[in-house]
Coordinates of all heavy atoms in Angstrom, one line a residue:
R1 N 0.9 -1.2 0.0 CA 0.0 0.0 0.0 C 0.9 1.2 0.0 O 2.1 1.1 0.3 CB -0.9 0.0 1.2 CG -0.3 0.3 2.6 CD -1.3 0.8 3.6 NE -0.8 0.9 4.9 CZ -0.1 1.9 5.4 NH1 0.3 2.9 4.5 NH2 0.3 2.0 6.6
P2 N 0.4 2.4 -0.4 CA 1.2 3.6 -0.4 C 1.6 3.9 1.1 O 0.9 3.6 2.0 CB 0.3 4.7 -0.9 CG -0.9 4.0 -1.5 CD -1.0 2.6 -0.9
V3 N 2.8 4.6 1.2 CA 3.2 5.0 2.5 C 3.0 6.5 2.6 O 3.1 7.3 1.6 CB 4.6 4.7 2.9 CG1 4.8 3.2 3.0 CG2 5.6 5.2 1.8
V4 N 2.7 7.0 3.9 CA 2.4 8.4 4.1 C 3.5 8.9 5.0 O 3.9 8.3 6.1 CB 1.1 8.6 4.8 CG1 0.8 10.1 5.1 CG2 -0.1 8.0 4.0
L5 N 4.1 10.0 4.6 CA 5.3 10.6 5.3 C 5.1 12.1 5.6 O 4.5 12.8 4.7 CB 6.6 10.4 4.6 CG 6.9 8.9 4.2 CD1 8.1 8.8 3.3 CD2 7.2 8.1 5.5
I6 N 5.5 12.6 6.7 CA 5.4 14.0 7.1 C 6.8 14.4 7.5 O 7.4 13.8 8.4 CB 4.4 14.2 8.2 CG1 3.0 13.7 7.8 CG2 4.3 15.7 8.5 CD1 2.0 13.8 8.9
D7 N 7.3 15.5 6.9 CA 8.7 15.9 7.2 C 8.9 17.4 6.9 O 7.9 18.1 6.5 CB 9.7 15.1 6.4 CG 11.0 14.9 7.1 OD1 11.4 15.8 8.0 OD2 11.7 13.9 6.8
E8 N 10.0 17.9 7.2 CA 10.4 19.4 7.1 C 9.3 20.2 7.8 O 8.5 20.9 7.2 CB 10.5 19.7 5.6 CG 11.8 19.3 4.9 CD 12.0 19.9 3.6 OE1 11.0 20.0 2.8 OE2 13.1 20.2 3.3
L9 N 9.5 20.2 9.1 CA 8.4 20.9 9.9 C 9.0 22.1 10.6 O 10.2 22.2 10.9 CB 8.0 19.9 11.0 CG 7.4 18.6 10.4 CD1 7.1 17.6 11.6 CD2 6.1 18.9 9.7
P10 N 8.1 23.1 10.9 CA 8.4 24.3 11.6 C 8.5 24.0 13.1 O 7.6 24.3 13.9 CB 7.3 25.3 11.3 CG 6.1 24.4 11.1 CD 6.6 23.1 10.5
W11 N 9.6 23.4 13.6 CA 9.7 22.9 14.9 C 9.4 24.0 16.0 O 8.9 23.7 17.1 CB 11.0 22.2 15.2 CG 11.1 20.9 14.4 CD1 11.9 20.7 13.3 CD2 10.4 19.7 14.7 NE1 11.8 19.4 12.9 CE2 10.9 18.7 13.7 CE3 9.5 19.3 15.6 CZ2 10.4 17.4 13.6 CZ3 9.0 18.0 15.6 CH2 9.5 17.1 14.6
H12 N 9.8 25.2 15.6 CA 9.7 26.3 16.6 C 8.2 26.6 16.9 O 7.9 27.2 17.9 CB 10.4 27.6 16.1 CG 9.7 28.1 14.8 ND1 9.8 27.5 13.6 CD2 9.0 29.2 14.6 CE1 9.2 28.2 12.7 NE2 8.6 29.3 13.3
E13 N 7.3 26.1 16.0 CA 5.9 26.4 16.2 C 5.2 25.2 16.9 O 4.0 25.3 17.2 CB 5.2 26.6 14.9 CG 5.6 27.9 14.2 CD 4.7 28.1 12.9 OE1 3.7 27.5 12.7 OE2 5.1 29.0 12.1
L14 N 5.9 24.1 17.1 CA 5.2 22.9 17.5 C 5.4 22.6 19.0 O 4.7 21.7 19.6 CB 5.7 21.7 16.7 CG 5.7 21.8 15.2 CD1 6.1 20.5 14.6 CD2 4.2 22.1 14.8
D15 N 6.3 23.3 19.7 CA 6.6 23.0 21.1 C 5.6 23.6 22.0 O 5.9 24.6 22.8 CB 8.0 23.5 21.4 CG 8.5 22.9 22.7 OD1 7.9 22.0 23.3 OD2 9.5 23.5 23.2
I16 N 4.4 23.1 22.0 CA 3.3 23.7 22.9 C 3.4 23.3 24.3 O 3.2 24.1 25.2 CB 1.9 23.2 22.3 CG1 1.8 23.7 20.9 CG2 0.8 23.8 23.2 CD1 1.9 25.2 20.7
N17 N 3.8 22.1 24.6 CA 3.9 21.6 26.0 C 5.3 21.3 26.5 O 5.4 20.6 27.5 CB 2.9 20.4 26.2 CG 3.3 19.3 25.2 OD1 4.3 19.3 24.6 ND2 2.4 18.3 25.1
G18 N 6.3 21.7 25.8 CA 7.7 21.5 26.3 C 8.3 20.2 25.9 O 9.5 20.0 26.2
E19 N 7.6 19.4 25.1 CA 8.2 18.1 24.7 C 9.4 18.3 23.7 O 10.2 17.4 23.6 CB 7.1 17.3 24.0 CG 6.1 16.7 25.0 CD 5.0 16.0 24.2 OE1 4.1 16.6 23.7 OE2 5.1 14.7 24.2
L20 N 9.5 19.4 23.1 CA 10.6 19.7 22.2 C 11.7 20.6 22.7 O 12.7 20.9 22.1 CB 10.1 20.3 20.9 CG 9.2 19.4 20.0 CD1 8.5 20.2 18.9 CD2 10.0 18.2 19.4
T21 N 11.5 21.1 24.0 CA 12.4 22.0 24.6 C 13.7 21.2 24.9 O 13.7 20.2 25.6 CB 11.8 22.6 25.9 OG1 10.6 23.3 25.5 CG2 12.8 23.5 26.5
L22 N 14.8 21.7 24.4 CA 16.1 21.1 24.7 C 16.6 21.5 26.0 O 16.6 22.7 26.4 CB 17.1 21.5 23.6 CG 16.7 21.1 22.2 CD1 17.8 21.5 21.2 CD2 16.5 19.6 22.0
M23 N 17.2 20.5 26.8 CA 17.6 20.8 28.1 C 19.1 20.4 28.4 O 19.6 20.8 29.4 CB 16.7 19.9 29.1 CG 15.2 20.3 29.0 SD 14.2 19.2 29.9 CE 14.7 19.4 31.6
C24 N 19.7 19.7 27.5 CA 21.1 19.3 27.6 C 22.0 20.6 27.5 O 21.6 21.6 26.8 CB 21.5 18.3 26.6 SG 21.0 16.6 26.9
Q25 N 23.1 20.6 28.2 CA 24.0 21.7 28.2 C 25.1 21.5 27.1 O 25.5 22.5 26.5 CB 24.7 21.9 29.6 CG 23.7 22.1 30.7 CD 22.9 23.4 30.4 OE1 23.5 24.5 30.2 NE2 21.6 23.3 30.5
D26 N 25.6 20.3 26.9 CA 26.6 20.1 25.9 C 26.1 20.3 24.5 O 25.0 19.8 24.2 CB 27.1 18.6 26.0 CG 28.2 18.3 25.1 OD1 27.9 17.9 23.9 OD2 29.4 18.5 25.4
P27 N 26.8 21.1 23.7 CA 26.3 21.5 22.4 C 26.0 20.3 21.5 O 24.9 20.2 20.8 CB 27.4 22.4 21.8 CG 28.1 22.9 23.0 CD 28.0 21.8 24.0
Y28 N 26.9 19.3 21.5 CA 26.6 18.1 20.6 C 25.5 17.2 21.2 O 24.7 16.7 20.5 CB 27.9 17.3 20.4 CG 27.5 16.1 19.5 CD1 27.2 16.3 18.2 CD2 27.5 14.8 20.0 CE1 26.9 15.3 17.3 CE2 27.1 13.7 19.2 CZ 26.8 14.0 17.9 OH 26.4 13.0 17.0
L29 N 25.5 17.1 22.5 CA 24.4 16.3 23.1 C 23.0 16.9 22.9 O 22.0 16.2 22.8 CB 24.7 16.1 24.6 CG 25.9 15.2 25.0 CD1 26.0 15.1 26.5 CD2 25.8 13.8 24.3
R30 N 23.0 18.2 22.7 CA 21.7 18.9 22.4 C 21.3 18.4 21.0 O 20.1 18.3 20.7 CB 21.9 20.4 22.4 CG 21.9 20.9 23.8 CD 22.3 22.4 23.8 NE 21.2 23.2 23.3 CZ 20.2 23.7 24.1 NH1 20.1 23.4 25.4 NH2 19.3 24.5 23.5

């Protein structure tokens, strides 16, 4: 069957509840 894919997103608009908020301090680990 066909596959459905979603990509190239405006991540800065999607972090409503903090799930995308980066918390690590090390630049690469972020």
